[in-house]
Amino acid sequence: MSPIIPVLEPDCQVKSWKILLKQAISDPHHLLSSLGLGSHPLAEQVVTQSNFRMRVPQPFIDKMGYGDPNDPLLLQVLPVNQEAQVVEGFSQDPLAEFSDEADKQPGILHKYQGRILVLLAQACAVNCRYCFRRHFPYHDHAAKSDQLEQIYDYLTRNDEISEVILSGGDPLIVSDHYFQGFVNRIESIPNIKRLRIHTRLPVVIPQRITERLCQILAQSRLSTSMVLHINHANEIDQLLSSYIKKLRSSGVTMFNQAVLLAGVNDSLAALSDLFEKGFEAGIIPYYLHFLDPVEGAAHFRVDKTTALSLVKELRNNLPGYLVPRLAQEIAGEKSKTVLA
Ligand SMILES: *Cc1c(COP(=O)(O)O)cnc(C)c1O
Ligand code: SF4
């Protein structure tokens, strides 16, 4: 028995996802050498110290190509020199979330009618370099367990809210026990009809989809959906597909949101593959996000003309239900802005 294995619930799947999470790789040299890359042309001075460190779990690394410095999964997680560039229009808080008055209460973002984001967790299993919340002060904003009562109270008082969207951080980073407590509590609020989980965790650690999680979702009176975050077809493998099947047989509707990223998925071929392969795995494309202008991510930018023409080409090539909405979040708007 390895001494690092903590005593957990008697469910070996729970053990394994927590261990995979704990053992996520945070040293870029280690990642590169495990892929047979001694160095990387975009990361000569590899950044190991930063407030947004590299973090990537092994199951995601297993989906990267060996020896390929341009691997589309690697590029999403490797800190590169270009992050230090100062680019006009790219800021720390592009969506004005830090001090948004919509953030009426810690742990929630209530910007859109009928739906509320609950920031259940402070961290993610993976640190995506383009993340619009890469500078987000989760310490001040994620719901601490003693603030949950205030959140339940808010949901009860604002009875036009019918959907709770769990976001983060990554909401599935919490234990099944904690998750169940939350779900059971919101089930007791009559106006709440739907539960949506925005998560990337199953993509980077498919073992997160435990039997218990499936049971909680299957038994809930709420209509449940999960919005995964997959940007490239190579992220969808047999392992992930098998867990998605379990979620679907537990009555969960599966969607995907992707971010349009230069060098990762900004071609007709890459996007078509993503949406077709996703559908084979049981996932309906929901949003394709236009990159939010967050500091450190400017090298992922695709200009709007290119984005619009890509979506037009997709429409000519795929059935309508496989073409997501190209969307942008504009601070202060009442919904996401659909560009195409
Ligand atoms: C994206 C988002 C939602 C969900 O919007 P949908 O269009 O329903 O997917 C809700 N609240 C906030 C603050 C959001 O950013
Ligand atoms: S999983 Fe989502 S919230 Fe977390 S770092 Fe990646 S993009 Fe950001």
Side-chain angles (χ1 to χ4, degrees):
M1 274 280 275
S2 157
I4 55 162
I5 297 178
V7 181
L8 294 165
E9 298 151 66
D11 175 350
C12 62
Q13 279 183 316
V14 172
K15 263 187 206 167
S16 75
W17 79 261
K18 288 197 170 173
I19 285 169
L20 288 162
L21 180 65
K22 203 177 223 172
Q23 295 177 342
I25 308 298
S26 59
D27 178 356
H29 296 288
H30 181 151
L31 170 63
L32 290 172
S33 67
S34 77
L35 294 169
L37 297 164
S39 63
H40 194 280
L42 300 175
E44 301 101 35
Q45 293 153 336
V46 164
V47 193
T48 45
Q49 290 308 317
S50 117
N51 55 1
F52 192 64
R53 290 194 62 162
M54 194 189 88
R55 181 172 163 88
V56 51
Q58 191 60 44
F60 194 70
I61 299 173
D62 293 343
K63 296 187 264 199
M64 294 177 185
Y66 190 82
D68 180 6
N70 297 316
D71 180 88
L73 279 57
L74 175 64
L75 294 179
Q76 294 177 55
V77 299
L78 181 72
V80 296
N81 302 345
Q82 289 142 296
E83 291 188 16
Q85 286 171 352
V86 176
V87 178
E88 206 187 311
F90 283 69
S91 68
Q92 294 223 338
D93 182 20
L95 304 181
E97 283 183 339
F98 295 3
S99 57
D100 199 318
E101 62 166 326
D103 188 9
K104 296 176 178 86
Q105 189 134 355
I108 60 172
L109 285 171
H110 188 192
K111 292 206 263 187
Y112 302 161
Q113 180 73 31
R115 295 150 284 173
I116 194 165
L117 280 195
V118 175
L119 309 178
L120 202 62
Q122 312 203 3
C124 294
V126 59
N127 282 343
C128 312
R129 306 318 299 176
Y130 52 83
C131 181
F132 70 99
R133 293 208 178 113
R134 56 179 289 165
H135 308 282
F136 194 70
Y138 284 115
H139 279 313
D140 309 336
H141 291 259
K144 300 181 181 65
S145 44
D146 59 347
Q147 285 162 348
L148 287 176
E149 278 312 317
Q150 286 167 283
I151 293 175
Y152 303 137
D153 190 49
Y154 187 92
L155 297 176
T156 309
R157 274 187 287 119
N158 293 272
D159 64 2
E160 95 287 0
I161 299 171
S162 52
E163 179 164 6
V164 170
I165 304 170
L166 294 179
S167 186
D170 196 310
L172 288 186
I173 212 163
V174 305
S175 70
D176 285 338
H177 179 78
Y178 190 90
F179 183 80
Q180 177 157 33
F182 179 85
V183 172
N184 290 158
R185 189 64 181 78
I186 62 168
E187 281 169 341
S188 72
I189 304 171
N191 48 291
I192 305 301
K193 299 194 163 50
R194 294 185 299 279
L195 170 68
R196 192 196 318 177
I197 305 160
H198 283 185
T199 178
R200 186 150 164 77
L201 225 156
V203 182
V204 298
I205 307 179
Q207 294 86 340
R208 174 65 190 93
I209 308 305
T210 58
E211 291 297 332
R212 181 160 175 200
L213 180 70
C214 290
Q215 270 169 19
I216 298 166
L217 296 170
Q219 287 164 4
S220 178
R221 75 159 178 86
L222 305 168
S223 306
T224 57
S225 61
M226 187 176 284
V227 182
L228 293 175
H229 174 179
I230 304 171
N231 297 314
H232 193 279
N234 294 357
E235 295 170 50
I236 305 165
D237 61 359
Q238 206 51 53
L239 185 67
L240 176 60
S241 302
S242 65
Y243 280 100
I244 288 171
K245 242 189 206 133
K246 291 189 189 184
L247 283 168
R248 294 183 75 215
S249 28
S250 310
V252 182
T253 305
M254 300 299 300
F255 296 111
N256 184 55
Q257 52 183 341
V259 182
L260 184 59
L261 299 166
V264 173
N265 61 11
D266 59 335
S267 71
L268 180 62
L271 292 170
S272 307
D273 268 8
L274 169 61
F275 303 136
E276 289 187 298
K277 210 167 159 201
F279 188 70
E280 274 170 44
I283 313 164
I284 298 163
Y286 182 35
Y287 281 133
L288 176 62
H289 293 281
F290 194 70
L291 183 78
D292 294 308
V294 67
E295 215 174 272
H299 55 288
F300 286 113
R301 174 165 47 182
V302 175
D303 66 73
K304 220 167 252 185
T305 315
T306 308
L308 290 170
S309 76
L310 276 170
V311 173
K312 193 166 176 207
E313 281 182 88
L314 282 170
R315 258 200 194 105
N316 294 337
N317 283 276
L318 292 177
Y321 61 88
L322 289 191
V323 184
R325 302 151 191 83
L326 178 67
Q328 183 175 22
E329 202 172 328
I330 298 172
E333 293 291 322
K334 289 278 168 210
S335 73
K336 299 218 185 334
T337 302
V338 175
L339 303 173

